[in-house]
Amino acid sequence: LGQQGDLAPTEHAELTGLLRRGDTYDASSYSASHAAFKAEQNAVFASLASSLGGAASPVVYLDGPDGGSTSALRAAGFATDQLHVANPHASTCAALSAPPHSLEHVAHASAEEALASEQWRSRAFCAAYFDGCGGQAEPLIAMIRALFHERRAAAAAL
C-alpha cells in the first residue's frame, strides 16, 4: 500500500509541509454555485451508496469539518456506525467526532493508511467517495489501490 514511507524525499517534504498547515478546507469560503455543486456530489454519492448496498451497509469517504458528506449520507438513512471517514488533520477528526456529527469511525490518517489499518482492513464497504481537491490523479489512484488491495480483499473474505 502507498504509505508516507514510500514517498520520494521531495514528495515526503511536500506532504509534511502541507500537513503542518492544517486543514485548509473551509466550506464557507466557496461560492453559492460551488456549494451547490458539492451538495449535488454528496447527494449522488449517498444515492449510489444506497442503491449499491442500502443504508445498512458500511461506506468509506473523505469529509471536511463541516460534515457535508456525512449529512448527505444521514439524510439517505445511513446510521452512524456505517460511516467511516479518514482525514489526516486532527482538528477535522475532532470536529467530525463531536456533535453534531458524532461519528464513531474517524481515522486520523490518510485514506490509504486507514484502509490498511486493523480496524478497517476486514471491512467490506459498499461504496467509497474519494476526491482530490488538488486536481492530482496520483492521490486518487493510491486511494483506489488501497481500497482494492489484495490484503483487504483477503481479510474481507474471511
Side-chain angles (χ1 to χ4, degrees):
L1 295 176
Q3 304 293 317
Q4 287 187 29
D6 297 336
L7 299 175
T10 55
E11 294 171 320
H12 188 270
E14 180 181 8
L15 177 60
T16 300
L18 288 171
L19 290 173
R20 263 194 216 122
R21 289 176 50 201
D23 195 345
T24 58
Y25 179 81
D26 179 5
S28 68
S29 69
Y30 294 120
S31 67
S33 63
H34 187 77
F37 171 73
K38 294 289 276 184
E40 287 174 19
Q41 284 182 319
N42 287 324
V44 167
F45 173 59
S47 176
L48 177 65
S50 292
S51 67
L52 289 174
S57 299
V59 295
V60 61
Y61 57 101
L62 306 178
D63 211 350
D66 66 320
S69 298
T70 297
S71 296
L73 288 162
R74 284 213 173 112
F78 282 85
T80 297
D81 64 337
Q82 301 308 94
L83 307 178
H84 296 71
V85 178
N87 194 292
H89 301 289
S91 61
T92 298
C93 292
L96 293 169
S97 297
H101 312 299
S102 303
L103 293 178
E104 299 169 4
H105 305 291
V106 178
H108 179 207
S110 68
E112 301 94 308
E113 292 165 337
L115 288 163
S117 71
E118 285 295 320
Q119 297 86 355
W120 291 15
R121 184 180 300 151
S122 62
R123 179 69 55 135
F125 298 104
C126 76
Y129 180 26
F130 302 136
D131 62 0
C133 294
Q136 297 179 337
E138 186 52 42
L140 290 171
I141 293 168
M143 288 182 255
I144 299 302
R145 282 187 180 137
L147 181 65
F148 293 107
H149 194 276
E150 62 193 34
R151 285 184 296 220
R152 280 191 39 76
L158 298 177

